[in-house]
Amino acid sequence: MSKQKLELTWIGKEKRPKLEPRILLEDPEKSYHAKHRVTDNDIFDNRLIFGDNLLALKALEQEFSGKVKCVFIDPPYNTGSAFTHYDDGLEHSIWLGLMRDRLEIIRRLLSEDGSLWITIDDNEAHYLKVLCDEIFGRPNFVASVIWEKSDSPKMDSRYFSSRHDYVLVYAKSIDALKLARLPDDTDDATKHYNKTDSDGRRYYTKPLRAMGSGDDTREARPTLYFPITAPDGTAVYPKRQDGVDGRWRWSQERVQRDADKLEWVKSKNGWNPYYKIYAEEGKQRPPETIWTHKEVGSNRTSKAEVKALIDQLSQFDTPKPEALLKRVLDLATNRGDLVLDSFAGSGTTGAVAHKMGRRWIMVELGDHCHTHIIPRLKKVIDGEDQGGISKAVNWKGGGGFRYYRLAPSLIVNDRWGNPVINPEYNAAMLAEALAKLEGFTYAPSEVHWWQHGHSSERDFIYVTTQNLSAEQLQALADEVGPERSLLVCCAAFHGVTAAKAAERWPNLTLKKIPKMVLARCEWGRDDYSLNVANLPMAKPDPVEPPAQAEASRKKSRKAPAAEAGQGALFGEDE
């Protein structure tokens, strides 16, 4: 019997798209940079990407896996209004499937100490929580923040006047996550510091053993279960009051590093370690899980901010206030860190990240990428945007961004329905696309004409639409040499069979285009949009009459022969 696991299931969960890893094409006319440097820390390599955000995430995966410090997304909330024509339950399935596909790539993009922040409301918050538990692991759940999005009640509400949304926070690895603390400027901030050390510094203590957090067991965090040596030399393990193995708050490395901050207390049950929190350190406090509109703004605040920059709000009923994003980036990032928002909306994440000296990537498919986001960012860069958080961070302008669009699909059908390389691709685009598909870094050499990319210092890729002869392959093998290897992607080769080629030139691997990639991806699909209102309604599978079903089976048995007949299209070995 297979071991069962706790998971969220939905209609079509097993279906996963075979995404094409598109290349990105810069449009210099839409890219924008300040006319001069404002500070030495100005950042110019930010990216605004126009296109479907799932394809864009896939396009970013190879270059940015493990490099994004913070992802903030504000996805469509799935309010139900778009699903009038769907069966009950199917709308949630569509939404969950589309979110799952994005979150899996986002997790790979995050750095080991990175974090994900998702704004969501009650319609899908609890389903999304379980989905994220499955993708990120339950121990990597950090918090469910309550954000007071409304600064006044809705008097016409039927049952409750909803005034909050959630911000779900997940770590890539909870042990590596380090969130900043917030300034503590309250009058009674030092009342807790009821002890004084030998140097006259005031402090208070907390148990080193994790307590009452819900994940305070050895099973939940096995790496935090280890012995610590007490003053009398005995080994002390974390034990809960019920006798179950517990865990420490600190890692072994930190226990060794901050041993001077430990204070041991002996009771009838033995030694217990506590850690000291000093008054000078305590001028900051951990963030709490309720954020009021007075702290981080409300929907009313954000509408006013966007309207002050662009006098069009019809597409943005609920933009996020800049102070909310500042709170997130203050906690999760430092200057120079990379921030990603794949649901850019009105561009708040990029605007705030830019003002705070963070690098950023935003993705947006809608027309407002051009009508709202670009004009907004230009005002930020030119220093004309003095709303939002500008005065709080003393923003004067500077920096810039590059505008990219997703390249069209690499494979299209010709007028006879045969798959061919997209004629919109030039030689450089083709080389970059195949390098990405094969897992190579696209980096054309200025010295060696056959080096279009590399996967290591000695492994390279060469892309050509030529039909290579045995003589050409021999010359290529000689130039590559025995110490290096080369993947050759060509239209065809002749004068030698594939088996003989592998034996004759062990430093070359030959593949034919487009045959080498046909089964890799869903070609020609440009929209995996979360705008589910535009998705076609699911239709029931038709029930075929017996005679028609038999004809279909006979036709399917002939399919392999038909496929074999297409071999000449791609160039068979001679």
Side-chain angles (χ1 to χ4, degrees), residues 152-162:
S152 61
K154 295 181 179 179
M155 303 307 294
D156 58 348
S157 296
R158 183 176 181 183
Y159 298 117
F160 285 85
S161 174
S162 176

Side-chain angles (χ1 to χ4, degrees), residues 291 295-297 301 305 320-328 330 348 352 388-389:
W291 297 357
E295 295 176 284
V296 297
T301 308
E305 289 172 351
K320 297 301 174 279
E322 290 199 6
L324 177 67
L325 267 298
K326 182 178 185 299
R327 168 68 63 87
V328 171
D330 274 334
T348 302
V352 172
I389 68 165

Side-chain angles (χ1 to χ4, degrees), residues 181 184 186-196 201-206 263 275-286 288:
R181 298 170 78 84
D184 190 354
T186 57
D187 294 336
D188 60 347
T190 61
K191 287 183 178 179
H192 298 294
Y193 305 96
N194 54 1
K195 298 184 179 183
T196 305
R201 296 186 300 169
R202 297 174 60 194
Y203 69 94
Y204 73 95
T205 60
K206 293 186 68 174
E263 182 174 289
Y275 65 97
K276 303 173 184 176
I277 301 175
Y278 287 93
E280 59 266 28
E281 298 170 346
K283 291 179 181 178
Q284 293 181 324
R285 57 183 172 85
E288 299 180 34

Side-chain angles (χ1 to χ4, degrees), residues 280-345:
E280 59 266 28
E281 298 170 346
K283 291 179 181 178
Q284 293 181 324
R285 57 183 172 85
E288 299 180 34
T289 54
I290 296 180
W291 297 357
T292 70
H293 71 270
K294 292 181 180 178
E295 295 176 284
V296 297
S298 65
N299 284 338
R300 190 197 304 270
T301 308
S302 53
K303 286 182 180 181
E305 289 172 351
V306 175
K307 190 173 180 64
L309 293 170
I310 301 123
D311 192 20
Q312 300 176 51
L313 274 175
S314 58
Q315 297 186 61
F316 303 106
D317 293 330
T318 57
K320 297 301 174 279
E322 290 199 6
L324 177 67
L325 267 298
K326 182 178 185 299
R327 168 68 63 87
V328 171
L329 299 188
D330 274 334
L331 294 173
T333 65
N334 297 305
R335 292 188 70 87
D337 284 341
L338 180 59
V339 177
L340 168 66
D341 184 349
S342 54
F343 294 90

Side-chain angles (χ1 to χ4, degrees), residues 24-35 44-50 354 360 369-370 373-375 377-378 381-382 399-405:
L24 297 172
L25 305 176
E26 183 180 1
D27 184 345
E29 291 187 1
K30 292 185 175 67
S31 299
Y32 193 78
H33 297 88
K35 296 178 175 60
F44 294 91
D45 61 346
N46 303 300
R47 298 191 182 199
L48 175 61
I49 301 171
F50 177 67
H354 202 98
W360 56 264
C369 181
H370 308 108
I373 296 177
I374 291 178
L377 292 175
K378 285 182 176 180
I381 292 166
D382 291 340
F401 67 89
R402 297 180 182 277
Y403 173 95
Y404 292 88
R405 60 180 174 86

Side-chain angles (χ1 to χ4, degrees), residues 522-543:
E522 297 174 348
W523 304 104
R525 182 169 177 181
D526 294 317
D527 189 357
Y528 293 86
S529 175
L530 268 169
N531 183 11
V532 291
N534 294 331
L535 294 176
M537 287 189 294
K539 296 180 180 179
D541 294 331
V543 178

Side-chain angles (χ1 to χ4, degrees), residues 70 140 342 353 372 392 477 544:
C70 174
N140 292 312
S342 54
H372 290 68
E544 292 183 310

